[in-house]
């Protein structure tokens, strides 16, 4: 505890943000998979990132690194350098391995590390979303439904520590509202989505966090110039089908031609052979 607290203080000092919401405990279902975002300092952009498994840092073992190809398929890692976040995905969650460290190797041989624990349950996790990946469109809104099994205040936070609580508020200029009308479902709605609203968010209840990634994209139908839209949309599919049609058009006559030619030449050869044979037998006899 003292160790992770000091790490938190170090990290907080490095990033200069004083209320970082660290992933420390995530409630997950056995057998499922989970993706955890790990925030790092921008100066460590080019350094190697790791996921280390084990309760104690000194005895933990690296299970995936950004500079090494994937091993078992149970773990994967990806580095979103433009956001100073790397994400680790752990599949087939079990009750056995629940302690992990997000780590960044420093140039001086040291590490920046952050411990997190997976609270693996066989039944309903305390916080649960159908999909950690949510998509919205620019200018639109998105509703993310979090099922919970224990009573208690739930917050909607960014990784950098900004949070919104009931009844409503804004997060980085994005209006956020909540719907708690359905029992055991805490629904968050983010409106007026901007492309830069994309990123990692957290449902937080007590010491449990649940990370959710929001991707805001441009909606094709809201493109202001319909000319480019009409052009842009159909080009992909028809071009592909046109290619295959063209290929058929070329291939069928071509193979027919080859077939005809080979048949013709075989006939010609046979005829020539017979002629030659006839001649040779004639001279021999
Ligand atoms: C949450 O529930 C609402 C209403 O049932 C639905 O419209 C919305 O798509 C859900 N959100 C997600 C991310 O599944």
């Amino acid at each position: 505890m003292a160790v992770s607290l000091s790490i938190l203080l170090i990290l907080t000092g490095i990033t200069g943000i004083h209320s970082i919401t660290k992933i420390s405990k995530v409630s997950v279902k056995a057998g499922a998979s989970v993706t955890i975002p790990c925030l790092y300092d921008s100066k460590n952009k080019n350094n190697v990132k790791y996921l280390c498994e084990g309760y104690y840092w000194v005895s933990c073992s690296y299970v995936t690194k950004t500079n090494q190809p994937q091993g078992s398929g149970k773990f994967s890692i990806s580095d979103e350098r433009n956001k100073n976040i790397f994400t680790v995905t752990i599949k087939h969650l079990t009750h056995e391995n629940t302690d992990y460290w997000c780590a960044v190797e420093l140039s001086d041989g040291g590490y920046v590390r952050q411990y997190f624990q997976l609270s693996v349950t066989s039944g309903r996790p305390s916080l649960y979303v159908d999909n950690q990946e949510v998509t919205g469109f620019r200018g639109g809104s998105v509703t993310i439904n979090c099922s919970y099994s224990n009573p208690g205040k739930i917050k909607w936070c960014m990784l950098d520590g900004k949070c919104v609580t009931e009844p409503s508020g804004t997060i980085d200029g994005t209006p956020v509202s909540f719907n708690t009308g359905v029992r055991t479902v805490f629904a968050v709605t983010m409106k007026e989505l901007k492309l830069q609203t994309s990123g990692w968010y957290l449902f937080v209840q007590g010491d449990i966090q649940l990370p959710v990634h929001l991707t805001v994209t441009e909606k094709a139908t809201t493109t202001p110039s319909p000319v480019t839209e009409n052009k842009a949309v159909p080009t992909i599919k028809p071009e592909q089908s046109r290619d295959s049609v063209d290929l058929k058009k070329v291939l069928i006559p071509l193979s027919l031609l080859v077939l005809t030619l080979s048949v013709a030449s075989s006939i010609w050869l046979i005829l020539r052979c017979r002629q030659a044979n006839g001649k040779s037998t004639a001279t021999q006899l």
Side-chain angles (χ1 to χ4, degrees):
M1 194 60 207
V3 177
S4 48
L5 188 68
S6 60
I7 288 155
L8 189 74
L9 289 175
I10 290 164
L11 274 171
T12 313
I14 289 168
T15 51
I17 299 163
H18 299 286
S19 58
I20 283 187
T21 308
K22 284 287 162 200
I23 304 279
S24 55
K25 193 173 182 183
V26 179
S27 170
V28 292
K29 203 173 149 71
S33 59
V34 70
T35 300
I36 307 287
C38 307
L39 194 64
Y40 60 83
D41 188 69
S42 60
K43 70 178 184 193
N44 298 327
K45 224 178 255 295
N46 297 320
N47 295 23
V48 173
K49 323 295 186 312
Y50 301 87
L51 178 67
C52 204
E53 188 179 76
Y55 183 73
Y56 297 105
W57 168 253
V58 286
S59 58
C60 72
S61 47
Y62 295 118
V63 286
T64 181
K65 303 177 183 190
T66 48
N67 64 343
Q68 275 185 4
Q70 311 304 329
S72 60
K74 183 175 163 73
F75 301 98
S76 54
I77 191 164
S78 77
D79 197 356
E80 293 175 49
R81 290 189 189 184
N82 56 334
K83 297 219 160 177
N84 301 326
I85 287 170
F86 70 98
T87 58
V88 291
T89 300
I90 310 170
K91 288 182 189 164
H92 320 298
L93 296 163
T94 64
H95 296 274
E96 279 121 60
N97 299 311
T98 54
D99 302 290
Y100 293 94
W101 297 81
C102 287
V104 180
E105 194 182 57
L106 301 177
S107 339
D108 65 3
Y111 296 90
V112 178
R113 55 203 195 257
Q114 171 65 36
Y115 171 80
F116 68 87
Q117 185 191 16
L118 298 179
S119 168
V120 183
T121 54
S122 306
R124 264 158 56 97
S126 10
L127 295 178
Y128 176 80
V129 283
D130 283 339
N131 199 337
Q132 276 187 283
E133 183 64 54
V134 178
T135 318
F137 295 112
R138 191 163 74 105
S141 69
V142 70
T143 298
I144 304 149
N145 311 299
C146 175
S147 308
Y148 60 92
S149 41
N150 304 315
K153 193 168 156 178
I154 301 176
K155 294 188 285 183
W156 177 245
C157 301
M158 290 177 75
L159 273 187
D160 70 4
K162 295 187 197 87
C163 292
V164 186
T165 51
E166 282 183 77
S168 63
T170 59
I171 205 161
D172 253 17
T174 303
V176 179
S177 59
F178 302 98
N179 185 347
T180 53
V182 181
R183 222 166 59 89
T184 73
V185 175
F186 182 83
V188 168
T189 300
M190 293 179 83
K191 293 200 190 83
E192 301 162 28
L193 295 175
K194 297 182 281 262
L195 296 181
Q196 61 268 29
T197 313
S198 299
W200 282 97
Y201 293 86
L202 302 171
F203 285 103
V204 180
Q205 185 187 43
D207 63 343
I208 300 273
Q209 298 110 4
L210 177 59
V212 171
H213 187 257
L214 172 67
T215 307
V216 179
T217 60
E218 209 74 64
K219 197 172 187 172
T221 49
T222 57
T223 311
S225 90
V227 181
T228 51
E229 189 202 321
N230 284 347
K231 262 189 186 169
V233 177
T235 40
I236 302 165
K237 277 187 185 170
E239 204 149 66
Q240 276 175 341
S241 52
R242 185 150 47 87
D243 275 355
S244 53
V245 165
D246 280 350
L247 211 63
K248 271 184 198 160
K249 271 186 188 161
V250 174
L251 271 181
I252 294 167
L254 200 73
S255 46
L256 276 176
L257 188 72
V258 169
L259 196 72
T260 320
L261 274 176
S262 53
V263 167
S265 58
S266 327
I267 291 169
W268 181 73
L269 268 174
I270 291 164
L271 285 178
R272 249 194 79 128
C273 270
R274 278 196 183 163
Q275 247 180 8
N277 273 346
K279 265 183 197 164
S280 60
T281 42
T283 46
Q284 254 181 9
L285 282 172

